[in-house]
Amino acid sequence: PEAGLAWADAAEASLAGLGEHVELQTALGSIRGQIALNQGNYALASELAAEALARRRAQVSAYHPKLANALLLVGNIAYRAQRNAEAGAAYREALSIREQTFGPKHPQTAVAHNNVALALMAEGDYADAQTHLAAALRIWDTDEDALDIARAQLNVQLIALAQGEFSKAELGLQALLEGLPLAGASVDQLRSHGLNALADVWIEQGRWGDARQGLERSLALWEAKHPERMGVHYRLGRVLEHQGEFAAARAQFEQTIAVASQNYEEASVTLLGARSALAGSVAAAGDTLAARKMLEVVVGTGGPAFPQDVAAASVHMEVGRVWLRLGQPEQAREWLGRAAAEPRPSARFEAELAVLRAEVELARGASKAQALAALAHADNSVGQSRPRYRARLAALVQALRGGV
């Protein structure tokens, strides 16, 4: 991002000598918006993309390809910030333009279908997402489309994972990975995403050793400090925590922060989440003083304007988890309540949050009725297809019985 920003500054300096040039100014605004997105500065990215979109609407017809491109940037920013309804609206308009401009069977139209599917998946509308993925797969039918087909197939398996169909997702992901070509940067990115998804399946099943091996394979595909490593380090840290290797887990969360610091603003939700995870790992290892100091940095960085939208729900839950590990259930309850008041990103998040809130109620010595109500809500949120959450619930029920 820093190199891109330097070139954008140079381009702007050159434009200043050319006078008014609306087309180039609009293109430069879009580039700056993409750079801000890559840095995790969603507010600035949204502002720049909105300005570029307004200029495009004033410059071109309602069905011009450049307008679709501007809409895709708006959608990508909203999607990354987990403003899913906004992303879906932008993606749908871009799809409509591409259908009118290129026709319903053009590869660019297929890309737009895939984007709409991503937004629908994020909103939990899996049926409509599958419809758009099927439309994309009907268009992509040549060897040149192989990677696009694989990306769409990956999304199909992610839907199975989100719906708790773990065996189906595992088989589909393994077949996808076996069918990928051997080399290439785009192939490596897709392979990494597939391995991450497969690790998520194994994490859900409590197969920590398998998940660890998959994530280590995924990490090996990326150069040091590459932004794609961030999510892999984070997942691997979680796995190592469950295996009781707290020092190794801490190292992974520190790597998450190191990568995030190079690509995101200090107050970004991404970096705050990574710092919260590190504090939680330190607390789990028993160093409560250090964990409390780390947590104070997280909360202090957000200050009065600490994020209060869906993108921050995971941070609020993570802060609540740390307070629980520090033996402060009242503070944990407050932060988990903030997470519960926001739109939740996924069914898995919903399950984790519900179980954590039940654990907090038991930790704070709630009445039997309150504890049972929390457990009932968690049981409903978890469902029958998530074995590791069901095991945690069983332990909570046993603890409650022991206290009665």
Side-chain angles (χ1 to χ4, degrees):
E2 290 78 9
L5 194 58
W7 281 101
D9 289 341
E12 188 165 0
S14 298
L15 273 176
L18 297 176
E20 187 72 14
H21 199 301
V22 177
E23 169 62 28
L24 291 179
Q25 288 171 338
T26 302
L28 183 58
S30 295
I31 291 169
R32 286 192 178 278
Q34 183 64 55
I35 292 171
L37 173 60
N38 293 343
Q39 292 177 314
N41 190 339
Y42 299 146
L44 178 59
S46 296
E47 179 183 339
L48 292 168
E51 290 175 359
L53 178 60
R55 286 177 174 174
R56 282 294 181 218
R57 290 194 189 280
Q59 292 167 1
V60 301
S61 69
Y63 289 99
H64 196 284
K66 288 184 177 180
L67 180 57
N69 293 340
L71 284 161
L72 286 175
L73 177 58
V74 169
N76 291 341
I77 294 166
Y79 177 74
R80 287 273 293 276
Q82 297 185 36
R83 301 195 304 268
N84 300 319
E86 180 184 339
Y91 285 152
R92 287 186 187 90
E93 188 177 351
L95 171 60
S96 176
I97 293 171
R98 286 187 169 178
E99 285 180 326
Q100 291 285 333
T101 304
F102 299 123
K105 296 184 179 181
H106 193 278
Q108 289 297 316
T109 303
V111 171
H113 274 297
N114 193 57
N115 286 335
V116 172
L118 288 173
L120 289 167
M121 288 166 62
E123 292 187 293
D125 189 347
Y126 301 121
D128 282 350
Q130 287 175 321
T131 298
H132 282 280
L133 289 172
L137 287 168
R138 284 194 297 271
I139 297 169
W140 287 320
D141 60 359
T142 69
D143 290 343
E144 293 181 358
D145 302 325
L147 283 182
D148 287 321
I149 292 171
R151 291 187 185 97
Q153 290 174 338
L154 173 60
N155 289 334
V156 170
Q157 304 312 321
L158 290 175
I159 290 175
L161 170 59
Q163 292 180 313
E165 299 175 355
F166 301 130
S167 295
K168 177 182 176 181
E170 181 177 8
L171 290 172
L173 288 166
Q174 287 175 335
L176 172 67
L177 290 167
E178 290 170 2
L180 289 176
L182 293 178
S186 296
V187 175
D188 283 346
Q189 182 183 51
L190 186 55
R191 181 175 285 109
S192 175
H193 292 170
L195 287 167
N196 294 345
L198 192 55
D200 285 341
V201 171
W202 291 329
I203 287 170
E204 289 284 355
Q205 296 173 324
R207 294 162 57 184
W208 306 110
D210 289 337
R212 180 175 181 171
Q213 290 182 10
L215 292 170
E216 287 171 347
R217 286 177 58 196
S218 179
L219 268 182
L221 295 169
W222 302 109
E223 296 178 358
K225 307 301 182 183
H226 192 287
E228 290 281 358
R229 293 178 67 96
M230 187 170 57
V232 191
H233 282 303
Y234 180 87
R235 285 179 174 88
L236 188 52
R238 285 281 180 238
V239 169
L240 291 165
E241 274 190 341
H242 280 279
Q243 292 184 310
E245 298 185 28
F246 296 114
R250 178 172 182 168
Q252 291 300 321
F253 291 130
E254 287 172 343
Q255 285 296 317
T256 306
I257 292 170
V259 177
S261 297
Q262 289 195 338
N263 296 280
Y264 291 89
E265 299 292 332
E266 185 63 31
S268 70
V269 172
T270 300
L271 197 47
L272 290 173
R275 293 194 184 283
S276 300
L278 176 59
S281 184
V282 171
D287 192 346
T288 57
L289 180 60
R292 184 181 288 271
K293 289 181 178 179
M294 292 176 182
L295 194 58
E296 289 172 354
V297 170
V298 171
V299 177
T301 299
F306 199 85
Q308 296 290 327
D309 58 15
V310 65
S314 58
V315 179
H316 293 159
M317 183 174 74
E318 195 62 52
V319 172
R321 188 202 312 274
V322 180
W323 279 123
L324 180 59
R325 287 178 172 177
L326 289 172
Q328 301 293 328
E330 294 299 334
Q331 288 94 327
R333 191 183 195 212
E334 176 189 348
W335 282 89
L336 294 176
R338 295 188 191 189
E342 298 157 353
R344 267 82 80 192
S346 66
R348 183 169 62 180
F349 180 94
E350 184 78 36
E352 177 72 21
L353 178 62
V355 173
L356 276 172
R357 297 186 84 187
E359 290 173 340
V360 164
E361 289 307 309
L362 265 68
R364 61 189 291 269
S367 68
K368 181 180 178 182
Q370 289 175 312
L372 285 173
L375 285 169
H377 175 71
D379 183 72
N380 182 63
S381 298
V382 169
Q384 298 300 317
S385 62
R386 300 182 181 276
R388 74 185 181 101
Y389 291 114
R390 297 224 62 81
R392 285 171 63 183
L393 276 178
L396 290 176
V397 170
Q398 187 63 36
L400 181 60
R401 286 174 176 169
V404 174

